[in-house]
Amino acid sequence: MRDDLLRFRYRYLPTHWFGELLEKKWTETAIPAIAFVLVVLASGALLPSFYTITALADTLRQGCEVGFVVLGLGIVIIVGGIDLSVGSIFALTNFAALMFMHVLGWPVWAAVPGTLVVGALLGLINGVLIGYLKLRAFLTTLITLIIFRSVYEILTLKYSTAIAMSLPDSDIWDVMGSGTLLGLPYIAWAFLLIAIGTHILLTRTRVGWHLMAVGGSRRSAYNSGLPVRSLVTLCYMGSGVFCAIGGLFFASRLATAGTNIGVGMEVVALTAAVLGGISLGGGRGSVAKATLGAGVVLLVSNGLTALAVPGGGTRMVLASILVAAAAIDVRWMKNRHRIINKAYVSPNFHEMPPAPDCRPGAKTVWAANDKLLQVSLIGLGQVEAPEDVILDQDDNLYTGTRHGDIVRFFAPDYKRMETFAHIGGQPLGMAFDKNWNLYVCVGGMGLYRVLPNGTVEMATVQTGRSVLAVRDDSRLRLADDLDIADDGRVFFSEATNRYDMHDWPVDGLEGRGNGRILCYDPRDGTTQTVLRGLIFANGISMHQDGESLFFAETWGCTVKRFWFDGPRKGAVETILEGLPGYPDNINLASDGNYWLALAGMRAPAYDLAMRMPGFRRRMANQVPQDEWLCPNINAGCVVKFSETGQILETLWDIDGVNHPLLTSMREHKGKLFLGGISNNRIGCYELKDADTTFSQYEHRWKKAS
Amino acid sequence: MINIGRKFLDRALGRGSASIAVPVMDGALHPNGKLDHAQIVAVDRSFDGLASDGNTLWITSGAKLFRLDGRSLVADIVFDEVITAIAASSDGRHLAVALGGSSIQVFERQQDRWRLAATMPELLQHPARHINGLCFDGDTTLLATDGSLARPYDEWCHDLLELGETGRVIRWRFADATAHAPTVIASGLKYAYGPLAVNGSVLYSESWRHRVRAIGENLELRDVTPELPAYPSRMSPATDGNIWLTCFIRRTQMVEFILKEREYCRRMISEVDPRYWMAPAFSTGDSFLEPIQRASVKQMGILKPWAPSRSYGLVIKVAPTGRLIQSIHSLADGKNHGITAAAENQGALYMVSRGAGRLLKIEL
């Protein structure tokens, strides 16, 4: 009953999507977005006139003015600095706009750029001081805050009467302040356009990436050759310009040069930026975050004002929000990776039929023996991690190593070795095509091809993205084993698309169908996914009928047959299930049956854990990885099975002396060559009564042609 | 309410009551491979207890009691039941054995033969079931630890997984058997093991609490070593006045975690053969059906010595004050695991490794 519930839950609730969603950078914006929605709802409920058109338009006008300032400050923070002088620049540019329009009587087309230039110049002062003279941003902008403010006060004292006395005669200026387009004030449209532009600038252009890079790590950016000083200067200028835009609209709306304009604005803007999720440490933030933060702060302060909370109270609330947001940001930044990692691992309910008795002396074909004790060793200590082994028509032996090499041992004694090709990654399964090109699945890279002269070519590293994939699964993460159809199509398995090569035990812990089988067609270079949802898809071997293949699902402990051609095209049939161990590579035997490597054996305590996903999830969260339960891959065996799924023979190294782990075997001229991914040797076992002329790929391609 | 909240928080953050932290083996407990280099005196899968009077060394194996004679073992007495504990008095006149975990017999030396001198009367309310340690206190008193009321001697691991807390320490004045019934001087212990009389107080291991405690003359309890990184078992006196403390299994974070997973423990006990549990054991690596942990996957044919292991070999020398003085280890890649007894005899330290089934010797 309990197991049924678990089975149901894990089959129909894709819990692993949660961790994948959390991995996306944009999910961080969700928190300020939720806060924004809550504040809007709360304002609507508490303030009776909140949703009226005039109130909304008014809120929007104020909001966008502050929004521009927050945008400017946000960029400065993203680049790793701070600009406290935004309020003073706002006031000064407001003054400049009024001066140009009211006193000097400039036309709008001159006054607007003029004001922006004033803003840019004020920003430039900050920028030069901080970028080129290397003064501390905090202190510098604190000082310019005071200086700009003083200048503003001196100027207003002199010109406020003149400003108040005259009114500019400009329709465009009036429309800027109070007109609407399609029901929205002009400033809202302007903000929308500029915000989108800034977003594109930051995320899609070279200069934007450079700015992000400087914010992420100034030293790395410098070492990479970025012009850090001019970028920093540029962003302070940008901040000045944004303040100027805000100041312009403010001037056109209120036409006032009062003494308290822009006072305390830096705190409001800072609160908005931090609340939106722009990290004070730099390198993290976006336009959306700045906008949402501005919205929340504005609505909160407006709401408090409307509820007749005194000004001190409002500032107190804002200050508390700032502190809380900064604290949360620091904690989140510190723990983000841990939280994502914890949420990412998502164990599944995985149940398997009981395993046959394999203990020594058991009355089954499975009974453990020590036949493999009699192997001769090839390349002991010379190869590391030979996952698969393969032999060519001259009996030379090829294997991959964890250094990313394909090494070749020369027949007949396999004492001499050379590096045949260097690919990188971890070479896994291998197969020869008709022209003796060696196709190799490389963990962490994809499917590669080594020509007989040792040239390495990339065959494919990606496939189409699945429709329902939260996480981009087009890139191959762990190509594992392959075989080649008569027409040259390469069928290869990808063990898991959720974890990298060396995290395969974590995939084992999940026990979900994260693997797939793909088909690469060398004739047109296309790659397609032909089978999905496989529990660690591993060994692949063509059936002799040329229209189907066998594949192994390692954690599923099954071997299945898949028809890729012919009348049964698309069908999947289970050949072996409830295996006592974890199946790895499959290869043809000389008598027409198939060899299968069991990389490890199922332990009852582990099987029990596989039926308790909650237990495994807690284990993944609480226990260090080194101590996690793991499939027992310190013991394994080689099995021969018939195409109907009958087990014919088992070969064991029960004490794990030479081959604690077996991932592959290849029969060649009366010998069985053994590979293991955690071994430092290749084994060679003399088969009794085997065809001593059998050479798998010679046999294959002779038959096919 | 606060408690529930705290428990929830602990579970979420993995601290406090949900912590699976294990003390680090450091200082005097710094790991070494000394135990793996010990001389192997004899091999027998059933070796368990040791006793020494300073001149003669006795060793138990199943129902047999052996005496070490030079380099060979001589069977002294053969019983009907498994010997679960043994003790020799310091003057060599008396020998005590626990049989089948439930009864205790005291023998007296008469020339070259041993004569049954006393049999412990049954404890009234809860008969002893799991006697795993014996020790003479003077000439007339015997101390015993009864590990668990719930499980017999060979099911100690069940008791661990069931978080058993039914261990007891028993005192019995055997010289005057009719007048003095045995008395329980400590009970409700999370597995009692290996008593030792030291300067008027009684030391015992509380294995599942990873500590050694002492019972004073007025039955007051005090900690000797409060937080060990392993599960202490039997104790024996060292000639320099200190104590040899054996640790039969080791703590690991994985096991600490499993012990908190009550449902998993229950299902494992009911569904899985005890040999293949994810639980501490005397030895590991005997079967491919045993679970392994991620870092114990052999790489390039080698098992790392510091790989997580369900079994371990550890003997610690402890001062009566509780200070740890030195330690002897066998790490994950070693064989001499599951040390259940140690005894000093004629200038050498003898130890029983239940994991390897060996009697080991280190010259001091």
Side-chain angles (χ1 to χ4, degrees):
Chain A
M1 178 59 202
R2 182 188 48 204
D3 279 4
D4 288 336
L5 273 178
L6 278 177
R7 204 172 290 134
F8 184 81
R9 176 188 152 192
Y10 282 96
R11 180 168 302 164
Y12 294 106
L13 283 184
T15 33
H16 59 291
W17 283 3
F18 179 67
E20 295 184 358
L21 277 175
L22 213 57
E23 232 188 7
K24 307 263 179 201
K25 251 188 161 172
W26 52 258
T27 46
E28 278 182 22
T29 313
I31 296 164
I34 292 169
F36 181 71
V37 171
L38 288 180
V39 173
V40 168
L41 292 178
S43 303
L46 291 174
L47 310 174
S49 59
F50 182 75
Y51 286 120
T52 57
I53 300 228
T54 41
L56 274 180
D58 202 44
T59 310
L60 260 181
R61 284 201 179 92
Q62 287 179 43
C64 292
E65 283 157 19
V66 177
F68 280 120
V69 176
V70 176
L71 221 50
L73 178 61
I75 292 174
V76 173
I77 296 177
I78 289 173
V79 180
I82 196 158
D83 190 351
L84 297 176
S85 64
V86 283
S88 301
I89 297 180
F90 181 82
L92 261 182
T93 49
N94 168 52
F95 173 80
L98 293 175
M99 191 71 192
F100 295 149
M101 290 300 297
H102 290 233
V103 180
L104 300 177
W106 288 11
V108 174
W109 59 262
V112 169
T115 310
L116 297 185
V117 168
V118 170
L121 286 175
L122 294 174
L124 184 67
I125 296 173
N126 281 333
V128 169
L129 290 176
I130 295 161
Y132 285 93
L133 298 182
K134 299 276 171 22
L135 301 184
R136 296 278 168 222
F138 186 87
L139 215 59
T140 310
T141 54
L142 188 65
I143 289 163
T144 49
L145 158 87
I146 296 164
I147 293 174
F148 294 164
R149 170 64 53 189
S150 315
V151 172
Y152 175 73
E153 277 168 3
I154 293 166
L155 290 174
T156 43
L157 208 64
K158 206 167 169 190
Y159 292 104
S160 60
T161 343
I163 290 169
M165 292 298 280
S166 64
L167 273 179
D169 182 22
S170 164
D171 291 341
I172 308 175
W173 186 247
D174 292 341
V175 164
M176 259 178 77
S178 53
T180 58
L181 177 70
L182 302 175
L184 284 178
Y186 273 94
I187 186 173
W189 290 109
F191 185 80
L192 194 69
L193 283 179
I194 290 171
I196 291 173
T198 312
H199 176 74
I200 291 172
L201 177 92
L202 274 183
T203 57
R204 303 288 191 279
T205 67
R206 183 184 298 243
V207 71
W209 288 8
H210 286 178
L211 288 173
M212 296 299 273
V214 172
S217 166
R218 184 174 292 228
R219 179 151 294 275
S220 305
Y222 178 79
N223 290 344
S224 324
L226 298 188
V228 171
R229 286 185 293 188
S230 55
L231 284 169
V232 168
T233 309
L234 190 72
C235 83
Y236 282 97
M237 275 178 78
S239 171
V241 172
F242 277 112
C243 291
I245 301 172
L248 259 177
F249 280 102
F250 184 79
S252 68
R253 178 164 67 98
L254 293 180
T256 162
T259 43
N260 61 346
I261 287 168
V263 173
M265 194 175 232
E266 58 283 338
V267 176
V268 175
L270 198 60
T271 309
V274 173
L275 186 68
I278 297 176
S279 254
L280 282 174
R284 306 176 63 81
S286 67
V287 171
K289 286 177 176 173
T291 312
L292 286 168
V296 173
V297 166
L298 183 87
L299 288 179
V300 167
S301 52
N302 272 8
L304 290 174
T305 314
L307 291 173
V309 175
T314 311
R315 280 197 291 280
M316 193 93 104
V317 170
L318 284 184
S320 322
I321 292 178
L322 176 60
V323 168
I328 291 171
D329 182 62
V330 168
R331 303 300 296 174
W332 170 250
M333 283 299 292
K334 196 177 157 207
N335 294 306
R336 181 173 176 268
H337 277 283
R338 256 173 27 147
I339 293 170
I340 289 176
N341 284 346
K342 282 188 175 190
Y344 190 74
V345 178
S346 160
N348 199 22
F349 182 82
H350 180 47
E351 195 178 28
M352 288 183 284
D357 190 358
C358 306
R359 284 175 292 184
K363 296 273 179 287
T364 62
V365 64
W366 284 107
N369 52 56
D370 50 11
K371 287 184 186 167
L372 290 187
L373 262 183
Q374 300 142 21
V375 293
S376 53
L377 300 181
I378 297 169
L380 177 63
Q382 291 178 294
V383 287
E384 290 183 9
E387 204 264 354
D388 198 6
V389 285
I390 195 165
L391 295 105
D392 65 12
Q393 74 270 48
D394 301 324
D395 305 335
N396 297 322
L397 173 69
Y398 298 77
T399 187
T401 71
R402 64 175 174 182
H403 307 110
D405 294 334
I406 305 289
V407 297
R408 168 156 68 176
F409 289 91
F410 291 99
D413 56 0
Y414 304 113
K415 294 248 186 289
R416 202 157 61 82
M417 180 190 99
E418 67 165 15
T419 302
F420 175 57
H422 178 76
I423 305 178
Q426 163 86 60
L428 300 169
M430 299 188 283
F432 281 115
D433 76 359
K434 223 173 274 191
N435 306 315
W436 296 97
N437 296 317
L438 182 64
Y439 274 90
V440 189
C441 282
V442 186
M445 291 173 75
L447 181 67
Y448 282 72
R449 178 170 49 217
V450 187
L451 307 186
N453 64 9
T455 314
V456 176
E457 291 177 351
M458 183 193 88
T460 179
V461 292
Q462 60 183 352
T463 176
R465 181 174 173 157
S466 316
V467 183
L468 280 179
V470 175
R471 195 186 172 157
D472 188 357
D473 63 350
S474 56
R475 187 74 170 78
L476 299 181
R477 288 195 130 195
L478 183 44
D480 201 332
D481 194 25
L482 73 158
D483 206 352
I484 303 174
D486 292 347
D487 57 9
R489 276 181 297 167
V490 181
F491 287 88
F492 63 104
S493 59
E494 187 184 27
T496 169
N497 202 258
R498 265 170 72 75
Y499 294 96
D500 290 325
M501 179 73 205
H502 293 285
D503 279 329
W504 60 264
V506 192
D507 191 76
L509 192 82
E510 284 203 346
R512 184 187 301 98
N514 297 330
R516 53 189 173 173
I517 292 178
L518 305 108
C519 170
Y520 163 72
D521 194 334
R523 292 167 299 190
D524 55 8
T526 55
T527 308
Q528 281 175 341
T529 309
V530 293
L531 209 55
R532 283 173 218 283
L534 308 179
I535 306 176
F536 212 80
N538 205 325
I540 299 246
S541 178
M542 286 293 150
H543 188 274
Q544 304 204 64
D545 66 2
E547 56 190 33
S548 62
L549 55 83
F550 291 107
F551 67 89
E553 282 181 284
T554 300
W555 313 134
C557 296
T558 57
V559 171
K560 292 176 181 167
R561 185 172 172 186
F562 167 66
W563 279 264
F564 56 85
D565 261 340
R568 293 195 66 187
K569 185 174 176 177
V572 176
E573 190 178 279
T574 302
I575 301 296
L576 294 167
E577 68 175 334
L579 286 168
Y582 301 103
D584 207 303
N585 285 5
I586 309 173
N587 279 311
L588 185 66
S590 59
D591 57 3
N593 293 308
Y594 296 87
W595 292 109
L596 169 71
L598 293 190
M601 303 307 291
R602 279 164 63 185
Y606 187 76
D607 280 358
L608 172 63
M610 292 311 281
R611 297 193 294 274
M612 300 179 70
F615 166 78
R616 281 177 3 255
R617 198 188 60 244
R618 288 188 293 279
M619 179 176 83
N621 287 345
Q622 294 173 26
V623 182
Q625 287 210 7
D626 270 8
E627 297 227 6
W628 287 5
L629 274 178
C630 173
N632 188 345
I633 58 165
N634 280 345
C637 64
V638 172
V639 177
K640 189 193 267 185
F641 69 94
S642 72
E643 64 168 71
T644 53
Q646 219 183 346
I647 302 295
L648 305 169
E649 189 182 1
T650 55
L651 307 172
W652 292 76
D653 179 5
I654 180 85
D655 296 321
V657 180
N658 282 319
H659 294 284
L661 165 86
L662 284 161
T663 50
S664 69
M665 71 272 103
R666 185 93 54 182
E667 184 177 341
H668 187 82
K669 300 191 176 167
K671 296 190 176 91
L672 195 64
F673 293 86
L674 307 163
I677 196 164
S678 63
N679 286 357
N680 59 348
R681 63 201 76 182
I682 295 167
C684 175
Y685 176 71
E686 299 276 348
L687 290 167
K688 294 181 191 78
D689 317 321
D691 178 359
T692 54
T693 61
F694 176 80
S695 162
Q696 187 183 348
Y697 282 95
E698 272 184 88
H699 171 86
R700 254 307 286 291
W701 298 122
K702 224 173 270 169
K703 205 182 122 217
S705 61
Chain B
M1 193 59 208
I2 291 171
N3 251 333
I4 295 171
R6 182 172 296 154
K7 262 192 174 165
F8 179 79
L9 211 70
D10 281 351
R11 277 190 79 122
L13 300 171
R15 60 190 186 200
S17 62
S19 165
I20 57 161
V22 171
V24 185
M25 289 212 185
D26 211 345
L29 290 176
H30 195 77
N32 52 50
K34 281 183 193 163
L35 201 48
D36 286 317
H37 299 124
Q39 183 193 336
I40 301 167
V41 181
V43 178
D44 185 336
R45 274 324 257 181
S46 325
F47 281 152
D48 182 14
L50 282 179
S52 164
D53 62 2
N55 292 312
T56 316
L57 183 80
W58 287 275
I59 178 165
T60 68
S61 167
K64 292 189 193 121
L65 179 62
F66 291 104
R67 173 165 49 86
L68 187 68
D69 187 5
R71 300 194 136 209
S72 58
L73 294 180
V74 180
D76 243 8
I77 316 176
V78 177
F79 297 93
D80 298 334
E81 281 185 283
V82 172
I83 308 166
T84 57
I86 179 168
S89 64
S90 54
D91 58 6
R93 276 184 55 220
H94 289 102
L95 205 57
V97 292
L99 297 175
S102 54
S103 69
I104 298 176
Q105 294 181 349
V106 180
F107 293 86
E108 198 174 8
R109 188 197 286 274
Q110 287 194 329
Q111 281 102 39
D112 277 348
R113 297 196 49 236
W114 290 102
R115 184 186 67 85
L116 181 63
T119 302
M120 186 177 80
E122 202 148 87
L123 284 146
L124 282 180
Q125 269 188 327
H126 301 288
R129 187 168 184 203
H130 196 127
I131 291 174
N132 51 18
L134 287 172
C135 169
F136 282 94
D137 185 5
D139 293 337
T140 56
T141 309
L142 195 60
L143 298 165
T145 46
D146 186 14
S148 159
L149 287 175
R151 293 282 183 176
Y153 184 63
D154 52 0
E155 291 187 355
W156 56 267
C157 195
H158 291 73
D159 196 62
L160 169 62
L161 292 184
E162 289 163 355
L163 308 180
E165 39 189 336
T166 52
R168 300 183 295 179
V169 182
I170 297 162
R171 179 187 276 152
W172 174 41
R173 294 197 53 193
F174 63 89
D176 200 2
T178 45
H180 291 93
T183 52
V184 173
I185 56 174
S187 61
L189 308 178
K190 293 191 165 172
Y191 202 77
Y193 215 154
L196 188 68
V198 178
N199 307 332
S201 47
V202 177
L203 267 57
Y204 66 90
S205 299
E206 194 173 3
S207 302
W208 307 161
R209 291 287 296 269
H210 337 103
R211 63 183 180 186
V212 175
R213 302 197 95 189
I215 307 171
E217 279 170 15
N218 303 318
L219 298 189
E220 77 281 4
L221 294 174
R222 74 181 157 84
D223 279 339
V224 179
T225 59
E227 269 292 318
L228 288 167
Y231 297 85
S233 52
R234 294 184 177 116
M235 286 173 264
S236 71
T239 42
D240 58 4
N242 294 312
I243 299 157
W244 290 110
L245 171 69
T246 59
C247 292
F248 66 132
I249 44 178
R250 176 203 175 169
R251 294 170 75 180
T252 65
Q253 285 175 298
M254 186 65 204
V255 168
E256 301 281 312
F257 169 74
I258 295 246
L259 291 176
K260 299 201 182 305
E261 290 287 325
R262 302 314 306 145
E263 175 68 9
Y264 183 78
C265 286
R266 257 193 301 281
R267 288 186 68 173
M268 189 158 69
I269 292 172
S270 66
E271 295 175 28
V272 179
D273 185 324
R275 282 175 297 174
Y276 312 132
W277 282 354
M278 182 60 227
F282 287 133
S283 69
T284 45
D286 302 329
S287 164
F288 50 77
L289 295 174
E290 289 175 14
I292 64 165
Q293 290 165 274
R294 191 167 162 182
S296 24
V297 172
K298 284 186 189 170
Q299 294 292 347
M300 304 305 125
I302 290 178
L303 179 68
K304 287 178 288 193
W306 55 87
S309 172
R310 298 182 296 119
S311 64
Y312 196 78
L314 177 61
V315 179
I316 312 173
K317 192 188 238 183
V318 189
T321 55
R323 191 167 61 85
L324 307 183
I325 298 169
Q326 75 171 89
S327 61
I328 306 168
H329 299 248
S330 170
L331 305 182
D333 61 340
K335 272 271 161 236
N336 296 333
H337 291 180
I339 308 293
T340 52
E344 239 183 275
N345 191 55
Q346 299 185 354
L349 179 68
Y350 289 86
M351 292 155 292
V352 167
S353 157
R354 275 209 76 172
R358 289 171 181 166
L359 175 61
L360 303 166
K361 178 184 176 186
I362 290 180
E363 297 287 348
L364 293 172

